[in-house]
Amino acid sequence: MSNLLTQWQPTTPLKKRSVRNHPIARLTITLCILTLGWQAVVTIFQLPSFILPEPLGVLHKLIQRHDVLLRHAWITTSEIILGLLTGLGFGLMCALLMLLFSPVRRWMLPLLIASQAIPVFAIAPILMLWLGYGMASKVVMAAIIIFFPVTTCCYDGLRHTPQGYLDLAKTLNATRWQILRHIRLPAALPALASGIRVAVVVAPIGAVVGEWVGASEGLGYLMLQANARMMIDEMFAALLILAGLSVSLYFGTDFLLKRAIPWLPENSQSPS
């Protein structure tokens, strides 16, 4: 049965990327351009530091307050990762339940849609009331915000398995569990990978929104405190760390997915 998976293996070897076409190189060039544009705006319009600080001022604050920033960054990172794991687990479970049981699918699909119609800012105070101001409410918030993309992508991948593979498995007298394990799940992994990439990008939103509503630590809490004290350079420093954390999580997840799922479509395409 596992031999059926060979058709998803890349048929052409990956071409070696040039340095300028590497995603990290492109990201570095983009950051340099944005930094120069940032400095140009401050210089041309003579903006005060409490409106828009200079990049060097933010860098100085990053160095000066690195211990505090890293401590709060670790809290936010823990919330994001735990939220990702929680949302991913529940999303996979719900996708499998909708595939295997029709009554569950009919009841759960409207709930999935309704969960995305409610703004996250409306949910956050309720979670604070139920779960307190600790890490649990932020983890649940991050899990809720990624639950929908993970569930829908995994479910679409499971139910759009090529019919030829299913027919071949039936002729081999494969059980329902064997079809799910050896055919449907491997075929759904590329779609699930897309959902995970989206989840990694939006998970920090849930964690930071939870910290804005009520927290005593984390980058969101630090940004609120810095903004209230007009320490805009420190707020920008926390924002830059959050952006770097999100980008690092995305590229790290993308790297792991490409090696864990060799039959992803992008693995068989040469980079442009």
Side-chain angles (χ1 to χ4, degrees):
M1 191 73 64
S2 60
N3 291 333
L4 295 176
L5 300 182
T6 57
Q7 301 205 23
W8 284 299
Q9 302 293 331
T11 55
T12 57
L14 293 176
K15 295 181 180 179
K16 187 176 181 180
R17 294 184 176 185
S18 62
V19 175
R20 65 180 180 179
N21 286 330
H22 196 279
I24 302 299
R26 291 198 296 265
L27 177 62
T28 303
I29 295 173
T30 302
L31 289 177
C32 292
I33 295 174
L34 290 176
T35 302
L36 292 175
W38 177 3
Q39 181 62 53
V41 170
V42 174
T43 303
I44 293 172
F45 295 99
Q46 296 294 310
L47 296 176
S49 60
F50 62 87
I51 297 295
L52 183 63
E54 294 184 349
L56 288 179
V58 176
L59 178 61
H60 175 71
K61 184 62 67 171
L62 280 170
I63 298 173
Q64 181 185 23
R65 299 269 289 173
H66 70 277
D67 52 344
V68 176
L69 290 167
L70 290 178
R71 178 169 59 84
H72 287 281
W74 170 250
I75 299 299
T76 302
T77 303
S78 302
E79 295 167 354
I80 293 172
I81 292 176
L82 290 175
L84 281 170
L85 295 176
T86 304
L88 181 60
F90 277 101
L92 287 173
M93 181 180 66
C94 291
L96 290 173
L97 289 175
M98 287 193 297
L99 176 72
L100 298 175
F101 303 103
S102 298
V104 174
R105 179 171 64 251
R106 289 194 294 268
W107 285 92
M108 188 170 291
L109 279 177
L111 292 177
L112 285 173
I113 298 172
S115 67
Q116 299 304 299
I118 302 175
V120 291
F121 276 103
I123 302 175
I126 300 175
L127 293 178
M128 299 299 160
L129 180 64
W130 290 348
L131 302 175
Y133 290 88
M135 185 178 292
S137 56
K138 285 74 174 177
V139 171
V140 173
M141 175 66 78
I144 289 175
I145 204 170
I146 72 170
F147 175 75
F148 183 78
V150 170
T151 303
T152 53
C153 288
C154 184
Y155 176 64
D156 285 341
L158 288 170
R159 68 191 182 99
H160 288 116
T161 305
Q163 189 61 40
Y165 296 111
L166 298 177
D167 294 338
L168 179 58
K170 291 178 181 178
T171 60
L172 298 174
N173 296 324
T175 63
R176 192 179 186 184
W177 165 249
Q178 289 175 326
I179 293 176
L180 176 64
R181 178 183 176 185
H182 296 287
I183 297 179
R184 286 193 181 273
L185 282 176
L189 287 180
L192 177 60
S194 299
I196 293 175
R197 290 189 181 99
V198 175
V200 169
V201 173
V202 300
I205 299 175
V208 172
V209 166
E211 292 173 353
W212 284 347
V213 174
S216 59
E217 51 190 356
L219 290 175
Y221 163 81
L222 188 63
M223 282 189 284
L224 280 182
Q225 295 299 312
N227 184 54
R229 299 174 183 176
M230 296 299 291
M231 300 169 61
I232 308 303
D233 51 355
E234 184 169 319
M235 186 182 71
F236 268 80
L239 183 61
L240 289 178
I241 290 179
L242 181 62
L245 173 63
S246 301
V247 172
S248 299
L249 282 174
Y250 176 83
F251 279 109
T253 302
D254 183 67
F255 176 83
L256 293 176
L257 288 173
K258 287 180 179 180
R259 273 129 189 94
I261 312 173
W263 55 92
L264 285 174
E266 54 265 35
N267 282 346
S268 59
Q269 297 175 358
S270 60
S272 55

